[in-house]
Coordinates of all heavy atoms in Angstrom, one line a residue:
T1 N 136.4 75.8 -120.5 CA 135.3 76.8 -120.9 C 134.1 76.1 -121.3 O 133.0 76.8 -121.7 CB 135.9 77.5 -122.1 OG1 136.2 76.7 -123.2 CG2 137.1 78.4 -121.8
E2 N 134.0 74.8 -121.3 CA 132.7 74.0 -121.5 C 131.5 74.7 -120.7 O 131.6 74.8 -119.5 CB 132.7 72.7 -121.1 CG 133.4 71.7 -122.3 CD 133.5 70.3 -121.8 OE1 132.8 69.9 -120.9 OE2 134.3 69.6 -122.6
G3 N 130.5 75.1 -121.4 CA 129.3 75.6 -120.8 C 129.3 77.1 -120.1 O 128.4 77.5 -119.5
I4 N 130.5 77.8 -120.4 CA 130.5 79.1 -119.9 C 130.1 80.0 -121.0 O 130.8 80.2 -122.0 CB 132.1 79.5 -119.5 CG1 132.5 78.4 -118.2 CG2 132.2 80.9 -119.0 CD1 133.9 78.7 -117.8
V5 N 129.1 80.7 -120.6 CA 128.5 81.7 -121.6 C 129.5 83.0 -121.6 O 129.8 83.5 -120.7 CB 127.0 82.1 -121.2 CG1 126.6 83.2 -122.1 CG2 126.3 80.9 -121.2
G6 N 129.7 83.4 -122.9 CA 130.5 84.7 -123.0 C 132.0 84.5 -123.1 O 132.8 85.4 -123.2
V7 N 132.5 83.2 -122.9 CA 133.9 82.9 -122.9 C 134.1 81.8 -124.0 O 133.5 80.6 -123.9 CB 134.4 82.4 -121.6 CG1 135.9 82.1 -121.6 CG2 134.2 83.5 -120.6
E8 N 135.0 81.9 -124.9 CA 135.3 81.1 -126.0 C 136.7 80.8 -126.1 O 137.6 81.5 -125.5 CB 134.7 81.6 -127.4 CG 133.3 82.0 -127.5 CD 132.4 80.8 -127.4 OE1 132.7 79.7 -127.8 OE2 131.2 80.9 -127.0
V9 N 137.0 79.7 -126.8 CA 138.6 79.4 -127.0 C 138.8 79.8 -128.4 O 138.1 79.4 -129.5 CB 138.8 77.8 -126.9 CG1 140.2 77.5 -127.2 CG2 138.5 77.4 -125.4
C10 N 140.0 80.3 -128.6 CA 140.6 80.8 -130.0 C 141.9 80.2 -130.2 O 142.7 80.4 -129.4 CB 140.5 82.3 -130.1 SG 141.3 82.9 -131.6
D11 N 142.0 79.4 -131.2 CA 143.3 78.7 -131.5 C 144.0 79.2 -132.8 O 144.8 78.6 -133.4 CB 143.1 77.2 -131.6 CG 142.2 76.8 -132.8 OD1 141.7 77.6 -133.5 OD2 142.1 75.6 -133.0
V12 N 143.6 80.5 -133.2 CA 144.0 80.9 -134.5 C 145.6 81.0 -134.5 O 146.2 80.7 -135.6 CB 143.4 82.4 -134.8 CG1 143.9 83.4 -133.9 CG2 143.7 82.8 -136.3
E13 N 146.2 81.4 -133.4 CA 147.6 81.6 -133.5 C 148.4 80.3 -133.7 O 149.5 80.3 -134.2 CB 148.1 82.2 -132.0 CG 147.8 83.6 -132.0 CD 148.5 84.3 -130.8 OE1 149.2 83.6 -130.0 OE2 148.1 85.5 -130.6
L14 N 147.8 79.1 -133.5 CA 148.4 77.8 -133.6 C 148.8 77.7 -135.1 O 149.7 76.8 -135.5 CB 147.6 76.7 -133.1 CG 147.4 76.7 -131.6 CD1 146.6 75.5 -131.1 CD2 148.7 76.9 -130.8
S15 N 148.0 78.2 -136.0 CA 148.2 78.0 -137.4 C 148.9 79.3 -138.0 O 149.1 79.4 -139.3 CB 146.9 77.9 -138.2 OG 146.1 79.0 -137.9
M16 N 149.4 80.2 -137.3 CA 150.1 81.4 -137.7 C 151.6 81.3 -137.6 O 152.1 80.4 -136.8 CB 149.7 82.6 -137.0 CG 148.2 83.0 -137.1 SD 147.6 84.4 -136.3 CE 148.7 85.7 -136.7
P17 N 152.4 82.0 -138.3 CA 153.9 81.9 -138.2 C 154.2 82.3 -136.8 O 153.6 83.0 -136.1 CB 154.3 83.1 -139.3 CG 153.3 83.2 -140.1 CD 151.9 83.0 -139.4
R18 N 155.4 81.8 -136.5 CA 156.0 82.0 -135.1 C 157.3 82.6 -135.2 O 158.1 82.5 -136.1 CB 156.2 80.6 -134.3 CG 154.8 79.9 -134.1 CD 154.9 78.6 -133.5 NE 153.6 77.9 -133.7 CZ 153.2 76.8 -133.0 NH1 154.1 76.3 -132.1 NH2 152.1 76.2 -133.2
P19 N 157.5 83.5 -134.3 CA 156.9 83.8 -133.0 C 155.6 84.5 -133.3 O 155.4 85.1 -134.4 CB 157.8 84.6 -132.2 CG 158.7 85.4 -133.2 CD 158.9 84.3 -134.3
S20 N 154.8 84.3 -132.3 CA 153.4 84.9 -132.4 C 153.4 86.4 -131.9 O 153.7 86.6 -130.9 CB 152.5 84.2 -131.6 OG 151.2 84.6 -131.5
Y21 N 152.9 87.2 -132.9 CA 152.8 88.7 -132.5 C 151.3 89.0 -132.5 O 150.6 88.8 -133.4 CB 153.5 89.5 -133.5 CG 155.0 89.4 -133.5 CD1 155.7 88.7 -134.4 CD2 155.8 89.9 -132.4 CE1 157.1 88.5 -134.4 CE2 157.2 89.6 -132.3 CZ 157.8 88.9 -133.3 OH 159.1 88.8 -133.2
T22 N 151.0 89.8 -131.4 CA 149.6 90.1 -131.1 C 148.9 90.9 -132.3 O 147.8 90.7 -132.7 CB 149.4 90.9 -129.8 OG1 149.9 90.1 -128.8 CG2 148.0 91.4 -129.5
I23 N 149.6 91.9 -132.9 CA 149.1 92.6 -134.0 C 148.7 91.8 -135.2 O 147.6 91.9 -135.8 CB 150.1 93.7 -134.5 CG1 149.4 94.7 -135.4 CG2 151.5 93.2 -135.1 CD1 148.2 95.6 -134.9
N24 N 149.5 90.7 -135.5 CA 149.2 89.9 -136.5 C 148.0 89.0 -136.2 O 147.2 88.7 -137.1 CB 150.5 88.8 -136.8 CG 151.6 89.7 -137.3 OD1 151.6 90.8 -137.7 ND2 152.7 89.0 -137.2
T25 N 147.8 88.6 -135.0 CA 146.7 87.9 -134.5 C 145.4 88.8 -134.5 O 144.4 88.3 -135.2 CB 146.8 87.5 -133.0 OG1 148.0 86.7 -132.9 CG2 145.5 86.7 -132.5
L26 N 145.4 90.0 -134.2 CA 144.3 90.9 -134.2 C 144.0 91.2 -135.7 O 142.7 91.1 -136.1 CB 144.6 92.2 -133.4 CG 144.6 92.1 -132.0 CD1 145.3 93.3 -131.5 CD2 143.3 91.8 -131.4
D27 N 145.0 91.4 -136.6 CA 144.7 91.5 -138.0 C 144.0 90.4 -138.7 O 143.1 90.5 -139.4 CB 145.9 91.9 -138.8 CG 146.5 93.3 -138.4 OD1 145.8 94.1 -137.9 OD2 147.7 93.5 -138.8
T28 N 144.6 89.2 -138.2 CA 143.9 88.0 -138.9 C 142.6 87.7 -138.4 O 141.6 87.4 -139.2 CB 144.8 86.8 -138.4 OG1 146.2 86.9 -139.0 CG2 144.2 85.4 -139.0
L29 N 142.3 87.9 -137.1 CA 140.9 87.8 -136.7 C 140.0 88.7 -137.2 O 138.8 88.4 -137.5 CB 140.9 87.8 -135.1 CG 141.6 86.7 -134.3 CD1 141.7 87.0 -132.8 CD2 140.8 85.4 -134.5
S30 N 140.4 90.0 -137.4 CA 139.5 91.0 -138.0 C 139.2 90.7 -139.5 O 138.0 90.9 -139.9 CB 140.3 92.4 -138.1 OG 140.3 92.9 -136.8
Q31 N 140.1 90.1 -140.1 CA 139.8 89.6 -141.6 C 138.9 88.5 -141.6 O 137.9 88.4 -142.4 CB 141.0 89.3 -142.3 CG 142.0 90.5 -142.6 CD 143.4 90.1 -143.0 OE1 143.7 88.8 -143.1 NE2 144.3 91.1 -143.1
K32 N 139.1 87.5 -140.7 CA 138.3 86.3 -140.5 C 136.9 86.5 -140.0 O 135.9 85.8 -140.4 CB 139.1 85.2 -139.7 CG 138.7 83.8 -139.9 CD 139.6 83.0 -139.1 CE 139.3 81.5 -139.3 NZ 140.2 80.6 -138.6
F33 N 136.8 87.4 -139.1 CA 135.5 87.7 -138.4 C 135.1 89.2 -138.5 O 135.1 89.9 -137.6 CB 135.6 87.2 -136.8 CG 135.9 85.8 -136.6 CD1 137.3 85.5 -136.4 CD2 134.9 84.8 -136.8 CE1 137.6 84.2 -136.2 CE2 135.3 83.5 -136.5 CZ 136.5 83.2 -136.2
S34 N 134.8 89.5 -139.7 CA 134.4 90.9 -140.1 C 133.3 91.5 -139.3 O 133.1 92.7 -139.2 CB 134.4 91.1 -141.6 OG 133.3 90.4 -142.1
H35 N 132.4 90.6 -138.9 CA 131.2 91.1 -138.0 C 131.7 91.4 -136.6 O 130.7 91.8 -135.8 CB 130.2 90.0 -138.1 CG 130.6 88.6 -137.3 ND1 131.5 87.8 -138.0 CD2 130.2 88.2 -136.2 CE1 131.7 86.8 -137.1 NE2 130.9 87.1 -136.1
C36 N 133.0 91.2 -136.3 CA 133.3 91.4 -134.9 C 134.3 92.6 -134.8 O 135.0 92.9 -135.7 CB 134.0 90.3 -134.2 SG 133.0 88.8 -134.0

């Protein structure tokens, strides 16, 4: 993704409990990035 505008890497799930559930990821990201 180096140099690609509009595409980012997100590693939030690596620090979350496993197995990884999408709803938990979305909730975590919403809390962490309230402007998004």
Side-chain angles (χ1 to χ4, degrees):
T1 57
E2 275 179 13
I4 298 179
V5 176
V7 179
E8 301 290 333
V9 174
C10 177
D11 64 358
V12 70
E13 289 189 1
L14 300 184
S15 61
M16 293 174 62
R18 298 177 192 195
S20 175
Y21 292 104
T22 300
I23 189 64
N24 299 341
T25 302
L26 291 166
D27 288 345
T28 299
L29 288 171
S30 288
Q31 290 164 4
K32 197 170 180 178
F33 301 97
S34 58
H35 64 286
C36 294

